[in-house]
Amino acid sequence: MVAEFVCQCLEDLQDYCQPHAPGALLKAAFICTQVVTLHSQRSLRDQLEERFGGGFELRTWSRLPHGSGLGTSSILAGAVIAALYRVSGRSTNVESLIHAVLHLEQVLTTGGGWQDQVGGLVPGLKIGRSKAQLPLKVEVEQIAIPEGFRHALNEHLLLLYTGKTRLARNLLQDVLRNWYARLPAIIQNANGLVSNAEECAQALQQGNLALLGECMNHYRLQKKVMAPGCEPLAVQRMMEALQPHVYGQSLAGAGGGGFLYVLTKQPRMQEALQRILEETEGLGNFSIHTVEVDVAGFQMRLLEEDLLHAE
């Protein structure tokens, strides 16, 4: 699906804080990077003409389906912010981008932006932490792994699209309501999420696939405590069919559908799992995808055609 819209005046940017408005994320990016000053006596045309000699054409795309659970919005926000900084003559680094995305997601009122961009912007395996303080600071630690373990992960880790669109609109609100109510089970579970993340980092450092799988299964149970109903019936059937063949599995993101990630007991099991799921009743139009740990991290480059236009 391709959508195109043009903002010709400041009023066209007013719905930047409504997540389902057309182009809301892109509008919020222009405002958060201060390319545009929304509350100004100067018109949008005058602002852009004075500062940049003209307007902007911004194109974005994603090959992932809507509601994938893979943190697309935060990762896309990071790319957009970096591009806007670059073309407006400013520089940035990954640490600044991480916090800029957090700010944008809060402005966008989605409540997100806390961790997804860390996964997309920082290369390799890492853990993100933030202390209970204001202003919030996200600190990222690269995880050193044994030689050859990244290759093992690439051969044992698979992504399965469940065929179910993730309907997470109310999941986060429910989680926050339970947290604000200070329900003991929720507080205990939140503390458990932190300790499980640290144990997951240790499993990676040790190169221990079985322990990593245990952490994934534990995370799945913790997610179900935090957001009851986050696993549709079809997804449960899929996971039950896969259980004997995997060390661990969990839905990505808030749950409710989207992608399921699995850590297989044997390497290169894509075709075998395909056959198993084809024989399982009640599943949607699923698909299985291989995974590789990214070692390059976020990159930005000028295309040749852009250089010609610049000249």
Side-chain angles (χ1 to χ4, degrees), residues 246-265:
V246 302
Y247 286 123
Q249 55 185 329
S250 181
L251 281 171
F259 278 87
L260 172 73
Y261 52 90
V262 302
L263 189 66
T264 61
K265 292 180 178 179

Side-chain angles (χ1 to χ4, degrees), residues 122-179:
V122 181
L125 300 164
K126 57 271 178 183
I127 181 169
R129 302 181 180 92
S130 57
K131 297 178 182 178
Q133 63 184 31
L134 292 175
L136 182 75
K137 180 176 175 58
V138 179
E139 298 177 333
V140 182
E141 178 188 345
Q142 301 274 164
I143 299 175
I145 58 175
E147 184 177 354
F149 185 61
R150 180 168 62 85
H151 176 70
L153 273 179
N154 292 343
E155 294 209 323
H156 287 263
L157 196 59
L158 292 172
L159 267 181
L160 284 74
Y161 183 60
T162 63
K164 299 290 182 183
T165 300
R166 182 174 63 92
L167 300 175
R169 185 180 304 173
N170 298 319
L171 283 177
L172 180 58
Q173 285 80 355
D174 291 342
V175 169
L176 290 175
R177 271 194 291 269
N178 291 335
W179 175 257

